[in-house]
Amino acid sequence: MRRIALVIAVLLSFNTSILAEGNATNTSSVRYVKVPRFARPLVEKWITEYAKTQLIQGVRQDEDPRLTIAWTIPGSSLTTPVIPLWITPHGELPQIVTRNSQGHATLVDVGFQLKDQLFPIKRGNGADYINLARLINHAGTGILQQIEPIEDEIFSRGKQVIETLRKNGKAGRETTEFYRWVDQYVSEQYEKRFHLM
């Protein structure tokens, strides 16, 4: 629900003058983009595509820095869930966010397949139009609405792991088990909900 509320808030909060951040090469400038009301989804797309977010959760002063968590959205922020990642002794990560035999992360590939459903028009300016009904809808079958329960379960399990890691003072077996669970759970859910994976 948090993510859906954020998308709706972003879409509805834009005025006719939109404040947009400059590109990475010139971060000191702010650009004003004048857009009519019907272009709000386009502006939202720009913001999500060019202002990707990764949250780093640090540690307390007395904690091991290896307990730092990178809350990451692999792929498209509209089509993949947030996954917490820790530094592990052996450099382990969930398999779905690491390179597969084609050199891509499986979750990223699947996320981009879903993103193609959100931006289905490929000719002309078609990439500027979002299928908002495929993103969120009254039936609750939108991509974002389907990802939210997956993300909620990841948060719930992740919170338990974080508490255990803080109690133990280091990352270890718990992260490996969590990563295996993430691989299995996310793969099952994407197969069940989207017939992908």
Side-chain angles (χ1 to χ4, degrees), residues 42 45 115-116 118-131:
L42 171 59
K45 176 188 171 219
K115 183 180 170 188
D116 284 343
L118 295 177
F119 302 97
I121 301 171
K122 303 298 179 206
R123 58 182 164 68
N125 291 331
D128 295 338
Y129 297 95
I130 185 169
N131 181 350

Side-chain angles (χ1 to χ4, degrees), residues 77-91:
S77 58
L78 297 175
T79 61
T80 54
V82 174
I83 299 177
L85 303 174
W86 293 270
I87 298 170
T88 62
H90 304 292

Side-chain angles (χ1 to χ4, degrees), residues 20-47:
E21 204 170 300
N23 61 27
T25 59
N26 187 8
T27 57
S28 63
S29 68
V30 174
R31 297 202 171 98
Y32 292 89
V33 181
K34 200 156 183 77
V35 296
R37 176 171 240 165
F38 67 84
R40 288 180 185 169
L42 171 59
V43 174
E44 193 274 338
K45 176 188 171 219
W46 286 342
I47 290 170

Side-chain angles (χ1 to χ4, degrees), residues 23-176:
N23 61 27
T25 59
N26 187 8
T27 57
S28 63
S29 68
V30 174
R31 297 202 171 98
Y32 292 89
V33 181
K34 200 156 183 77
V35 296
R37 176 171 240 165
F38 67 84
R40 288 180 185 169
L42 171 59
V43 174
E44 193 274 338
K45 176 188 171 219
W46 286 342
I47 290 170
T48 59
E49 291 303 313
Y50 300 110
K52 299 279 186 192
T53 302
Q54 180 180 45
L55 175 71
I56 305 296
Q57 180 181 349
V59 294
R60 298 180 185 116
Q61 190 171 3
D62 59 336
E63 289 182 324
D64 187 336
R66 290 176 290 188
L67 295 180
T68 300
I69 305 167
W71 293 90
T72 306
I73 301 174
S76 174
S77 58
L78 297 175
T79 61
T80 54
V82 174
I83 299 177
L85 303 174
W86 293 270
I87 298 170
T88 62
H90 304 292
E92 299 162 304
L93 291 171
Q95 292 297 307
I96 59 173
V97 300
T98 59
R99 288 184 186 181
N100 58 23
S101 59
Q102 289 84 31
H104 309 128
T106 303
L107 185 57
V108 173
D109 286 347
V110 171
F112 285 148
Q113 288 176 29
L114 290 173
K115 183 180 170 188
D116 284 343
Q117 294 177 26
L118 295 177
F119 302 97
I121 301 171
K122 303 298 179 206
R123 58 182 164 68
N125 291 331
D128 295 338
Y129 297 95
I130 185 169
N131 181 350
L132 200 54
R134 187 66 187 110
L135 182 64
I136 53 175
N137 58 52
H138 290 291
T141 59
I143 292 172
L144 207 53
Q145 293 160 310
Q146 297 283 333
I147 288 173
E148 188 174 329
I150 298 170
E151 195 168 76
D152 288 346
E153 185 63 24
I154 292 171
F155 283 161
S156 177
R157 295 277 182 114
K159 183 178 178 185
Q160 294 171 8
V161 172
I162 292 167
E163 290 170 2
T164 303
L165 294 176
R166 285 212 164 110
K167 189 168 65 175
N168 294 345
K170 62 180 180 179
R173 178 179 51 84
E174 296 83 2
T175 54
T176 302

